[in-house]
């Protein structure tokens, strides 16, 4: 079974051309920027990638491209788990796995309807993974179209199948994270926190790293914390204070603001998105992104 390496796994955004096609020149620039930032791996074809707004062919093409053009020292996992019919989900998962990803990531809310219980979740997971020859699966507690958090019991059940190695956790709650970590202790399943404010404490408890939207703003700060959280307590607390406060920017108009920030970093692309109107990034919001970028570069001098 593949083991997902500890560290930072950014949720990759998708750049578009002026005529609303995937801009693969910009995808290459993003991969290069991630590499310079010191990430461990890339989570492609996820919600940040606007996977619900990509068609089947685009999702597969994007996954293949990222796998083929990412340096070998950086891992690639991917989702694309958006089809309504179970049989379609299975076929698309097989195609993404064949593209060469390290792990195929399921979306937790696709296993059952909001009103259905955990028994339905386990039944559907068992059915789907029985049909797919993958050796390493992940689960993402995606908030869209609705948020289904895995209970510690369900997570342990997944870990005990021996086929799950990754959880992108979005509970944003230290107590819940602690219970989940206890549930998967001794298994191959690693938990990656998507929440910036709880990251340091979750790392101290045993989380394997970070996989969240803010890695599209300053991955290297997260990479530093994941590597140094237990080496210099005072500096770790200061880094946590920065990334926690900075993370409020994700409530602004993501992923438009992430694309604007990447342009400030020299990673050129349009601000076009399919799930958000770029005009929502008003002049004052652009100033907020610009000021955050300046603060980031000032603080990084003390750490990087």
């Amino acid at each position: 079974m593949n083991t997902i390496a500890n560290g930072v796994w950014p949720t990759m955004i998708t750049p578009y051309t002026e005529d609303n096609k995937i801009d693969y020149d910009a995808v290459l620039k993003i991969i290069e920027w991630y590499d310079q930032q010191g990430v461990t791996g890339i989570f492609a074809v996820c919600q940040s990638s606007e996977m619900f707004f990509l068609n089947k062919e685009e999702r597969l093409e994007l996954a293949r491209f990222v796998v083929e053009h990412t340096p070998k020292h950086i891992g690639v996992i991917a989702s694309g788990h958006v089809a309504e019919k179970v049989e379609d989900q299975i076929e698309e998962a097989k195609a993404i796995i064949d593209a060469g990803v390290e792990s195929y990531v399921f979306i937790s809310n696709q296993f059952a309807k909001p009103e259905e219980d955990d028994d339905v979740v386990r039944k559907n997971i068992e059915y789907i993974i029985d049909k797919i020859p993958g050796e390493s699966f992940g689960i993402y507690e995606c908030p869209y179209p609705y948020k289904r958090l895995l209970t510690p019991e369900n997570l342990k059940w997944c870990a005990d199948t021996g086929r799950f190695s990754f959880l992108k956790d979005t509970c944003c709650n230290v107590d819940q994270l602690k219970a989940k970590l206890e549930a998967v202790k001794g298994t191959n399943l690693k938990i990656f926190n998507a929440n910036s404010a709880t990251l340091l404490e979750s790392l101290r408890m045993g989380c394997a790293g970070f996989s969240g939207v803010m890695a599209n703003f300053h991955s290297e700060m997260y990479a530093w914390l994941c590597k140094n959280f237990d080496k210099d307590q005072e500096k770790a607390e200061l880094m946590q204070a920065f990334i926690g406060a900075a993370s409020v920017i994700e409530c602004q108009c993501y992923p438009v603001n992430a694309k604007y920030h990447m342009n400030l970093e020299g990673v050129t692309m349009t601000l076009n998105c399919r799930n958000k109107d770029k005009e929502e990034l008003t002049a004052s919001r652009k100033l907020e992104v610009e000021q955050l970028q300046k603060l980031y570069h000032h603080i990084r001098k003390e750490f990087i």
Side-chain angles (χ1 to χ4, degrees), residues 24 48 56 99-100 110 124 143 169 191 214 216 243 245:
Y24 283 104
S48 287
K56 177 181 177 181
Q110 293 292 89
N124 288 334
D169 186 280
I191 298 177
M214 287 306 297
N216 286 307
I243 65 171

Side-chain angles (χ1 to χ4, degrees), residues 1 8 25 41 155 200 208 229 263:
M1 180 179 179
V8 179
D25 288 337
L155 189 60
L200 177 56
F229 72 92
N263 275 280

